Amino acid sequence: MTETTQNYYYVESDRDLLKLLFDQLPCQSLEDLLQLLDQKHIASFKDILDYASGPDCPNDLALTIEVAMDRLRRTDMRRSSDWASSSDWASSSKIGNYLANKLLGQKQEQFWVLYFDQQQNLLGEKMLFQGTLDRSWVHPREIFRWAVVYGCASIIVAHNHPSGALTPSDNDLELTKGLKKASKIMKITFLDHFIIGGGEYLSLRERELF
């Protein structure tokens, strides 16, 4: 557990959380902040979440952003469609279509994890790896580290095949088996592994591949 992760146990107010967030940004003034937003092409809250989910955002800063955005979401009971109720995340078809739309047109392989609570509400989503994926690079340690941070009950993993092919590779199958074993040790339910390609999806659980 990092020092920043430990800090969240002592953050009692929104003001404290905002101070922690700005302490992690390389900004000394509002002008510096505006320049940073321009450099990162951040013009909306969605852009902030995309940046926090991406590989360029430092882990401690990403965690602070996730916690801050979660507090913002809790101030509005309408909630956005991206953070929907359990009924929207209960079926594999809805999750598969969401992921297929999310990863449509990506030219590089990306590995995403969705984190859920006991009621199948989405707690967070994180892109953990990007590039040529193999079993040795996509390490369960990083996947379950964020599972502990979110305090989740279950996870779904997904990655895309830029070629559009949905057939799982031997590496895909080995990774899935490894995650299933690790999930039992961590006592976190491993729900599914989706492969995305050409706007379509394949659920390894539906195909009974693990």
Side-chain angles (χ1 to χ4, degrees):
M1 182 180 294
T2 67
E3 180 181 352
T4 301
T5 305
Q6 290 175 323
N7 284 341
Y8 294 123
Y9 293 103
Y10 304 101
V11 172
E12 296 182 354
S13 69
D14 293 344
R15 182 188 178 100
D16 292 337
L17 182 58
L18 287 172
K19 182 179 186 305
L20 182 61
L21 175 61
F22 285 105
D23 283 347
Q24 294 174 329
L25 294 172
C27 302
Q28 301 297 321
S29 65
L30 178 59
E31 183 178 349
D32 291 342
L33 176 60
L34 293 176
Q35 289 179 353
L36 179 64
L37 293 177
D38 287 340
Q39 290 171 2
K40 302 298 182 182
H41 306 291
I42 295 174
S44 67
F45 286 119
K46 181 181 182 302
D47 292 339
I48 293 175
L49 285 174
D50 288 343
Y51 172 63
S53 299
D56 296 331
C57 185
N59 284 340
D60 285 347
L61 178 57
L63 179 54
T64 306
I65 291 172
E66 291 281 2
V67 173
M69 294 301 287
D70 186 55
R71 290 202 182 189
L72 280 175
R73 285 189 290 271
R74 291 178 184 180
T75 65
D76 186 350
M77 296 305 295
R78 292 171 297 179
R79 309 290 290 256
S80 73
S81 60
D82 285 343
W83 297 81
S85 64
S86 59
S87 61
D88 290 318
W89 299 104
S91 73
S92 60
S93 63
K94 288 185 178 180
I95 295 173
N97 287 326
Y98 168 77
L99 291 166
N101 181 65
K102 186 181 190 71
L103 296 175
L104 182 65
Q106 293 294 333
K107 302 304 182 185
Q108 286 186 299
E109 286 187 81
Q110 295 182 353
F111 189 92
W112 285 79
V113 187
L114 307 183
Y115 298 94
F116 299 91
D117 65 13
Q118 291 281 6
Q119 288 73 44
Q120 197 68 6
N121 295 309
L122 182 64
L123 296 173
E125 53 184 337
K126 184 76 176 170
M127 183 177 73
L128 294 180
F129 309 97
Q130 180 170 279
T132 302
L133 304 180
D134 59 41
R135 185 167 174 252
S136 63
W137 192 36
V138 181
H139 201 288
R141 178 176 58 243
E142 188 70 8
I143 294 169
F144 287 101
R145 182 174 78 86
W146 282 94
V148 171
V149 167
Y150 283 119
C152 76
S154 59
I155 64 170
I156 287 174
V157 304
H159 78 279
N160 63 312
H161 287 173
S163 66
L166 293 176
T167 304
S169 67
D170 290 341
N171 277 334
D172 294 338
L173 297 175
E174 285 189 44
L175 171 63
T176 303
K177 292 177 182 177
L179 290 176
K180 184 177 181 180
K181 290 180 181 178
S183 70
K184 289 181 178 179
I185 296 173
M186 296 294 295
K187 300 187 184 305
I188 294 172
T189 304
F190 178 49
L191 295 174
D192 208 341
H193 183 174
F194 285 86
I195 296 176
I196 309 300
E200 303 292 334
Y201 71 88
L202 178 143
S203 162
L204 270 66
R205 179 171 291 280
E206 285 186 348
R207 297 297 179 92
E208 298 182 348
L209 294 174
F210 72 94

